[in-house]
C-alpha cells in the first residue's frame, strides 16, 4: 500500500508539471504601444507622430502666409483720397508693418519645411530650428494680435460716423490678420510640444 501511495504521489507531481502554463499577459498591456517592448513598431509610431506634427505646422504656417498676404494687400491698397488714406493713421501703418513681417517669417518657414520634407535634409540644426520655431511663432503671433487690437478701436469709431469702402477694407485687413494670429498661435503650441519632447544627446 505504501508503495502504491508513492506511485500516486509521483504521478500527481508529474501531472502538476504538465498542467503548469505560463502566466498570460495583462489584458491592458499593448506590446506595440510606445514605451513598451514593441521594437520597430514603436519607432515607426514615433516617426509617424513626428511627420504629422511637421505637416500640421507646415499647413498652419502656409495658411498664416496666405492670410497675412491678403491683409497686407488690402491695407496697402486702402487709399481713397482725403482722410481715406491708411498711411495717415499709425494704427494702420503698424498693422501693415506686422503683416509684412508675418508674411516674410511664414514664407521663410514654409520654404524651409518644404525643403526638409522633399529632400530629407535639415537646413538648420534640429535644436536651433526648434528654438527658432518656438520663439518665432510666439513673437509674430503676439505682434499680429497687438496690431489687430490697436486697429480695431479706430475702425469702430470711423464706422460710427461713415461706413465706406475705406472702413470695410480696414476691417477686412484686421480680420485676416486676426485669423493669421490664430494659425501661428496653434503653430506655436506644436513648436512648444516638439521642443519639450526633443531628446538631447
Amino acid at each position: 500500500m505504501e508503495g502504491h501511495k508513492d506511485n500516486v504521489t509521483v504521478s500527481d507531481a508529474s501531472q502538476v508539471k504538465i498542467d503548469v502554463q505560463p502566466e498570460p499577459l495583462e489584458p491592458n498591456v499593448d506590446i506595440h504601444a510606445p514605451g513598451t517592448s514593441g521594437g520597430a513598431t514603436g519607432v515607426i509610431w514615433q516617426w509617424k507622430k513626428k511627420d504629422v506634427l511637421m505637416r500640421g505646422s507646415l499647413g498652419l504656417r502656409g495658411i498664416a502666409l496666405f492670410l497675412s498676404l491678403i491683409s497686407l494687400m488690402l491695407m496697402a491698397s486702402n487709399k481713397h483720397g482725403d482722410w481715406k488714406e491708411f498711411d495717415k493713421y499709425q494704427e494702420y501703418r503698424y498693422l501693415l508693418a506686422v503683416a509684412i513681417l508675418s508674411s516674410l517669417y511664414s514664407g521663410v518657414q514654409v520654404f524651409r519645411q518644404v525643403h526638409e520634407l522633399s529632400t530629407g535634409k535639415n537646413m538648420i540644426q534640429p535644436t536651433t530650428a526648434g528654438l527658432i520655431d518656438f520663439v518665432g511663432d510666439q513673437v509674430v503671433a503676439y505682434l499680429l494680435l497687438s496690431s489687430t487690437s490697436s486697429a480695431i478701436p479706430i475702425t469702430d469709431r470711423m464706422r460710427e460716423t461713415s461706413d465706406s469702402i475705406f472702413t470695410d477694407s480696414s476691417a477686412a485687413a484686421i480680420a485676416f490678420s486676426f485669423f493669421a494670429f490664430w494659425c501661428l498661435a496653434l503653430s506655436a503650441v506644436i513648436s512648444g510640444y516638439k521642443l519639450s519632447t526633443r531628446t538631447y544627446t
Side-chain angles (χ1 to χ4, degrees), residues 83-140:
W83 59 273
K84 300 175 183 178
E85 303 277 343
F86 84 90
D87 53 2
K88 291 184 178 181
Y89 306 93
Q90 62 179 359
E91 294 88 351
Y92 292 153
R93 293 198 303 269
Y94 179 39
L95 184 74
L96 178 63
V98 173
I100 293 172
L101 177 63
S102 176
S103 299
L104 290 174
Y105 170 78
S106 301
V108 170
Q109 289 284 50
V110 167
F111 173 78
R112 178 178 66 85
Q113 288 185 284
V114 169
H115 178 271
E116 290 178 354
L117 283 173
S118 60
T119 63
K121 298 179 181 179
N122 295 321
M123 296 181 66
I124 310 174
Q125 289 185 353
T127 303
T128 305
L131 289 172
I132 292 174
D133 291 347
F134 180 61
V135 175
D137 287 347
Q138 288 197 87
V139 170
V140 177

Side-chain angles (χ1 to χ4, degrees), residues 20-43:
V20 171
Q21 298 291 334
E23 294 183 3
L25 293 173
E26 296 181 12
N28 295 328
V29 174
D30 183 4
I31 62 172
H32 300 296
T36 62
S37 58
T41 305
V43 174

Side-chain angles (χ1 to χ4, degrees), residues 2 11 15 22 39 65 83 90 100-101 149 155 161 163 167 169 177 186 188 191 193-194 201:
E2 291 180 358
S11 176
Q15 184 65 33
L65 172 62
W83 59 273
Q90 62 179 359
I100 293 172
L101 177 63
S149 299
T155 305
T161 57
D163 196 2
T167 55
S169 296
S177 287
L186 292 174
S191 300
Y193 174 78
K194 289 165 61 178
T201 56

